[in-house]
Amino acid sequence: MSGGPWKVKRPVAERFWEKVNKDGPAMNKELGSCWLWTSSITGHGYGYFWTGAANRPAHLWLYEHINGVVPPGLELDHLCAVKPCVRPSHIEAVTHRVNCIRADAGANMRIKTHCPRGHEYDEVNTYIKANDGGRDCRICTRRRGAEYRARFRHAEIPR
């Protein structure tokens, strides 16, 4: 036989662990230090890993390697908020709503006490959206609906 030396395929887990730095920063003292992915990073900041069959998010690959498939309707949340972290104790399967609420954007929205038009977000005036957990002002929602209906109430309908 001619050709170069045989390339020995190494186990996927062995290739994975050589790309992990277990001496990352401790963004949250209670959680301990992050395990940072040191290889390929997406434009959004998450590590990704070639499994031999496909590119997979590194934190997802490790979660599924340890826990099995993420349950339907859940997604992974980084409790440490460090996107390239793959430490299993820093990753939790949660609903999209919980993930959004925990995210920085969710935190920024929660501190707002009034809608952009100045109406207070309280129990009576706040509508929580089922799809993403966001908030809407009921007064402004009713006003937008009334304006929309008024625009089309007297509009000519083409025949």
Side-chain angles (χ1 to χ4, degrees), residues 12-22 33-38 47-51 54-70 76-78 82-93:
V12 175
E14 180 183 317
R15 290 188 304 101
F16 180 90
W17 287 112
E18 71 186 15
K19 297 168 175 51
V20 176
N21 172 8
K22 291 186 177 181
S33 65
C34 291
W35 295 357
L36 299 179
W37 184 251
T38 62
Y48 65 95
F49 175 62
W50 176 253
T51 64
N55 267 327
R56 302 286 312 277
H59 66 287
L60 174 62
W61 182 87
L62 184 57
Y63 180 91
E64 290 184 341
H65 182 71
I66 293 170
N67 302 301
V69 177
V70 177
L76 298 183
D77 179 28
H78 283 85
V82 178
K83 292 178 179 181
C85 179
V86 297
R87 188 169 184 170
S89 62
H90 290 199
I91 309 293
E92 182 180 18

Side-chain angles (χ1 to χ4, degrees), residues 8-138:
V8 177
K9 286 195 172 197
R10 295 182 301 133
V12 175
E14 180 183 317
R15 290 188 304 101
F16 180 90
W17 287 112
E18 71 186 15
K19 297 168 175 51
V20 176
N21 172 8
K22 291 186 177 181
D23 296 320
M27 301 304 284
N28 179 324
K29 300 297 181 200
E30 294 172 9
L31 292 174
S33 65
C34 291
W35 295 357
L36 299 179
W37 184 251
T38 62
S39 190
S40 301
I41 302 289
T42 68
H44 296 288
Y46 295 96
Y48 65 95
F49 175 62
W50 176 253
T51 64
N55 267 327
R56 302 286 312 277
H59 66 287
L60 174 62
W61 182 87
L62 184 57
Y63 180 91
E64 290 184 341
H65 182 71
I66 293 170
N67 302 301
V69 177
V70 177
L74 299 183
E75 56 191 46
L76 298 183
D77 179 28
H78 283 85
L79 300 173
C80 58
V82 178
K83 292 178 179 181
C85 179
V86 297
R87 188 169 184 170
S89 62
H90 290 199
I91 309 293
E92 182 180 18
V94 298
T95 63
H96 181 69
R97 181 172 191 261
V98 168
N99 199 0
C100 288
I101 289 170
R102 288 179 177 175
D104 288 338
N108 292 336
M109 294 307 290
R110 282 193 312 276
I111 63 172
K112 294 181 180 178
T113 60
H114 291 74
C115 81
R117 292 193 174 257
H119 305 116
E120 185 176 5
Y121 285 130
D122 59 19
E123 286 186 34
V124 174
N125 188 46
T126 306
Y127 169 70
I128 306 294
K129 296 185 229 176
N131 62 336
D132 65 0
R135 297 182 297 179
D136 267 343
C137 168
R138 288 184 187 272

